[in-house]
Amino acid sequence: MSSDQSDLDSYAQAYLLAFEAMYHFGTEESRGHTYWFGPVYHNLGMAAELCFKHFLHTNSGTFDRTHDLCALYAGVRKLLPDPISFERDLGEVAKQWCEPSGDLKARLTTKEARVSYYVFWLQLALLNQTYYRDQCSHSRFKTRYPTPTDMTYYPINCALIANGVRALLESEQYQR
């Protein structure tokens, strides 16, 4: 493994640990506040971005120098032996132990929203709204530079995304 690959891997794992520490520290009340979920979403986004870049570099020798989680995951998805099973398995595990509660559950008002809460790439796209670029306002990097007026609390299934990142970090394809 080259130094660049090793750095991407080490940082991805460090950001994932930082996300987990912050995520579990929050309370139901604090989780709706911009200055709680901004850093949580940012660390999860960084873990995903660096994990995807490492995976791409390891399996194809290159990666795009972008922060767009959706674009990076699209490249990863092409290299997975069975991306549909990968995503389905993540969703099934999430349904068993990631039941939304409180304010989050209240935000998932439609059947479509409740189903999409367990779809990895849809949750990644939702995280990308705050991590990279908001599709409506086109503002960028809102988790790094939050303001109470432009920061929207998206009901993101953080545990689902973290499990996907962890699954990739632990995969044989990642470890080459």
Side-chain angles (χ1 to χ4, degrees):
M1 187 181 303
S2 73
S3 175
D4 288 346
Q5 283 179 282
S6 178
D7 289 347
L8 290 170
D9 175 52
S10 297
Y11 277 107
Q13 294 196 40
Y15 277 111
L16 187 59
L17 289 172
F19 154 77
E20 289 170 344
M22 284 191 250
Y23 184 75
H24 295 295
F25 180 73
T27 64
E28 192 70 37
E29 185 178 321
S30 70
R31 290 183 183 192
H33 192 277
T34 301
Y35 297 104
W36 178 82
F37 68 83
V40 169
Y41 288 179
H42 178 71
N43 279 286
L44 181 57
M46 287 296 295
E49 176 185 339
L50 296 174
C51 171
F52 297 162
K53 286 179 176 179
H54 175 81
F55 190 94
L56 290 166
H57 190 267
T58 300
N59 290 280
S60 68
T62 188
F63 60 86
D64 289 336
R65 301 232 178 242
T66 182
H67 301 290
D68 186 339
L69 300 176
C70 295
L72 290 167
Y73 182 65
V76 168
R77 196 171 194 280
K78 289 177 186 172
L79 296 169
L80 292 172
D82 188 354
I84 293 171
S85 292
F86 174 77
E87 293 170 1
R88 183 189 59 237
D89 292 348
L90 288 172
E92 290 301 317
V93 169
K95 286 177 189 173
Q96 294 174 16
W97 62 273
C98 297
E99 184 64 31
S101 61
D103 182 50
L104 177 57
K105 190 170 189 169
R107 290 172 176 266
L108 300 173
T109 56
T110 65
K111 181 178 181 180
E112 182 180 76
R114 289 188 298 274
V115 169
S116 70
Y117 189 71
Y118 300 104
V119 179
F120 180 75
W121 68 269
L122 287 173
Q123 291 303 301
L124 193 65
L126 199 54
L127 176 62
N128 210 36
Q129 291 286 305
T130 59
Y131 178 75
Y132 177 61
R133 180 189 306 263
D134 186 289
Q135 289 182 345
C136 296
S137 69
H138 300 289
S139 58
R140 295 181 65 178
F141 309 118
K142 290 165 50 167
T143 58
R144 287 187 222 171
Y145 312 109
T147 64
T149 56
D150 79 343
M151 193 68 166
T152 302
Y153 174 63
Y154 294 100
I156 298 169
N157 189 336
C158 293
L160 173 66
I161 297 171
N163 285 340
V165 169
R166 193 175 299 104
L168 288 172
L169 289 171
E170 294 171 357
S171 73
E172 286 183 28
Q173 266 186 290
Y174 189 85
Q175 300 298 326
R176 290 183 189 173

